[in-house]
Amino acid sequence: MKYWLLLITAIPFWACNAPDQNTASLQRQIDSLQARINKAYKPGFGEFMSGIQVHHNKLWFAGINQNWALADFEINEIKESLDDIRTYCTDRPETKSIGMIDAPLQNIANAIQQKNDTGFKSAFKVLTATCNTCHQATQHGFNVIIIPSLPPFSNQEFRLQDKK
Ligand code: HEC
């Protein structure tokens, strides 16, 4: 009889102990995963900007050569990099200023849709001025962006035979 009593009182302890061990092992897994996330490579603000710099340049040569499909592609690449900044650079206060570039980008997108040569050029000037406005506003005014005079690479053709 006594043994039964012992057994009955011991069961709840087993029952409680097992989840405790599970919780501890889960916590260890979470901690090690968190440590891995903390160490995972994440591109910085400047790296996204360097990508945007290349697309800004290509966008110009696509537009002035009326390669509208490429221009559309390049503007979307810029938008993707800006979205990545919004996702990955939340720790940078400058990210809050990103919105200022949305309207200038939309104006270029409209000119591209309309295949409007002069509209494209003037919208591109406004875009470039906005790059600099943000650099000045974020204490990076020494980073001056201009309308490019040369394409970034020699191995890409901007002018298409049949302009589409
Ligand atoms: C949100 C405001 C903002 C906008 C809009 C912006 N930039 Fe920047 N840019 C920055 C900041 C902040 C840095 C410095 C990043 C760092 O800490 O490395 C920077 C850095 C740069 C750099 C230097 C990158 C390097 O490491 O050499 C280039 C090039 C650049 N931006 C190009 C552009 C172009 C082109 C545009 C417009 C199409 C643009 N930026 C729009 C904020 C902005």
Side-chain angles (χ1 to χ4, degrees):
M1 181 64 193
K2 264 189 183 166
Y3 292 116
W4 279 114
L5 209 66
L6 248 173
L7 208 65
I8 288 164
T9 44
I11 285 169
F13 284 105
W14 276 328
C16 290
N17 221 11
D20 263 9
Q21 278 172 1
N22 276 342
T23 313
S25 115
L26 280 174
Q27 189 60 52
R28 272 197 301 278
Q29 284 182 47
I30 292 169
D31 290 347
S32 96
L33 286 172
Q34 185 64 52
R36 273 206 233 170
I37 290 171
N38 293 347
K39 273 196 276 176
Y41 174 73
K42 181 174 79 139
F45 207 113
E47 283 161 278
F48 288 120
M49 280 291 149
S50 297
I52 290 174
Q53 177 178 25
V54 173
H55 296 300
H56 171 267
N57 183 312
K58 290 187 179 187
L59 174 62
W60 173 251
F61 286 98
I64 60 167
N65 286 292
Q66 295 168 22
N67 185 343
W68 301 119
L70 179 61
D72 182 53
F73 176 85
E74 296 299 345
I75 202 139
N76 282 314
E77 293 293 309
I78 294 178
K79 283 184 185 166
E80 275 176 26
S81 297
L82 294 169
D83 284 346
D84 285 342
I85 290 177
R86 287 182 172 105
T87 306
Y88 296 108
C89 304
T90 47
D91 53 332
R92 290 284 299 255
E94 295 96 331
T95 302
K96 292 193 192 77
S97 307
I98 283 284
M100 73 166 74
I101 208 164
D102 291 342
L105 278 175
Q106 192 51 50
N107 288 339
I108 299 195
N110 294 344
I112 292 170
Q113 286 308 312
Q114 295 155 11
K115 303 185 177 181
N116 179 346
D117 200 21
T118 38
F120 172 84
K121 284 178 187 155
S122 65
F124 192 91
K125 281 181 193 141
V126 176
L127 174 73
T128 306
T130 311
C131 305
N132 291 321
T133 304
C134 194
H135 289 169
Q136 282 153 19
T138 58
Q139 280 72 52
H140 289 87
F142 50 85
N143 245 319
V144 181
I145 306 301
I146 56 170
I147 306 238
S149 49
L150 281 175
F153 305 108
S154 59
N155 60 354
Q156 185 168 4
E157 177 64 82
F158 291 91
R159 191 175 306 146
L160 290 185
Q161 292 307 348
D162 56 329
K163 293 171 188 165
K164 274 183 187 159

